[in-house]
Amino acid sequence: MNYAMTMLLAAAGLATTCSPAGAHRLDEYLQATVIDITRQDIAVTLRLTPGADVAYGVIHQIDSNGDGILSPQEQQAYGAWIRQGLSFSINGNPVSLTTGGAAFPSVTTLRTGSGVISLCFHITTSLTPGSYRLVYTNHGSDPDMVYLVNGLLPHDRAIHIQRQQRSVNQSTYELDFTVEP
């Protein structure tokens, strides 16, 4: 057998033994948080993606009357419940979140493991020149929960990210930044 034929057979064999990469694991509830800082507002966006194996439990938490429809009231209640599990402080002082928009996929889409719930929150600020440390903690207690968190590069040229630090599971995040005059 020639070299080219051997390589072709080896590649074919490798292709049949590899599994495709997925967006996230089926047995996890992914909470991906993005933090966007301006001098007047800190926008916090959570993208919640329950894997197919855990979606039933998440749907059950949201759909309190069990009718298979996520009503606006059920969506608001779930968003408020998620918000209660989040804490923020700036330079050691707790700050509160206000609820922004929310988008929920259909129950059918959630069941597939590809449905993404998007929740937006805001922290009203008045950042003057100086150094700041923002600390974010997600107190979600579901054992299937996994976290990702990141800060966005500020659009305001006076705000400079100095350091990001995360706990091992990313449920806690620290962001050091400065605001120039």
Side-chain angles (χ1 to χ4, degrees):
M1 189 180 312
N2 68 23
Y3 177 76
M5 182 61 86
T6 302
M7 293 307 291
L8 182 62
L9 289 173
L14 184 60
T16 61
T17 61
C18 292
S19 61
H24 72 98
R25 290 166 42 185
L26 296 173
D27 59 348
E28 295 176 336
Y29 187 11
L30 175 63
Q31 289 198 7
T33 305
V34 175
I35 299 170
D36 189 11
I37 298 175
T38 70
R39 287 185 251 191
Q40 296 79 31
D41 180 75
I42 298 173
V44 179
T45 303
L46 273 72
R47 294 178 50 83
L48 314 171
T49 309
D53 293 349
V54 298
Y56 175 80
V58 173
I59 293 165
H60 183 70
Q61 284 179 322
I62 303 168
D63 186 15
S64 59
N65 64 5
D67 67 356
I69 298 169
L70 306 180
S71 71
Q73 295 81 10
E74 290 169 328
Q75 293 176 22
Q76 288 173 350
Y78 190 71
W81 181 74
I82 293 292
R83 187 184 73 221
Q84 288 175 354
L86 308 177
S87 66
F88 281 86
S89 67
I90 298 176
N91 291 348
N93 300 309
V95 292
S96 59
L97 290 171
T98 56
T99 302
F104 284 72
S106 69
V107 169
T108 303
T109 303
L110 280 172
R111 283 189 188 121
T112 68
S114 63
V116 178
I117 300 165
S118 181
L119 302 174
C120 298
F121 303 103
H122 295 276
I123 300 168
T124 302
T125 63
S126 180
L127 298 175
T128 58
S131 296
Y132 294 90
R133 173 171 284 172
L134 173 84
V135 177
Y136 162 65
T137 304
N138 189 323
H139 302 281
S141 59
D142 190 319
D144 299 320
M145 199 79 65
V146 294
Y147 307 97
L148 294 173
V149 62
N150 209 353
L152 293 179
L153 184 63
H155 298 287
D156 185 335
R157 293 175 191 230
I159 299 174
H160 302 280
I161 303 299
Q162 302 299 314
R163 180 183 70 92
Q164 299 181 80
Q165 185 172 333
R166 299 160 183 84
S167 62
V168 172
N169 72 354
Q170 296 195 37
S171 64
T172 301
Y173 172 77
E174 295 178 3
L175 178 65
D176 293 337
F177 63 97
T178 58
V179 178
E180 293 181 350

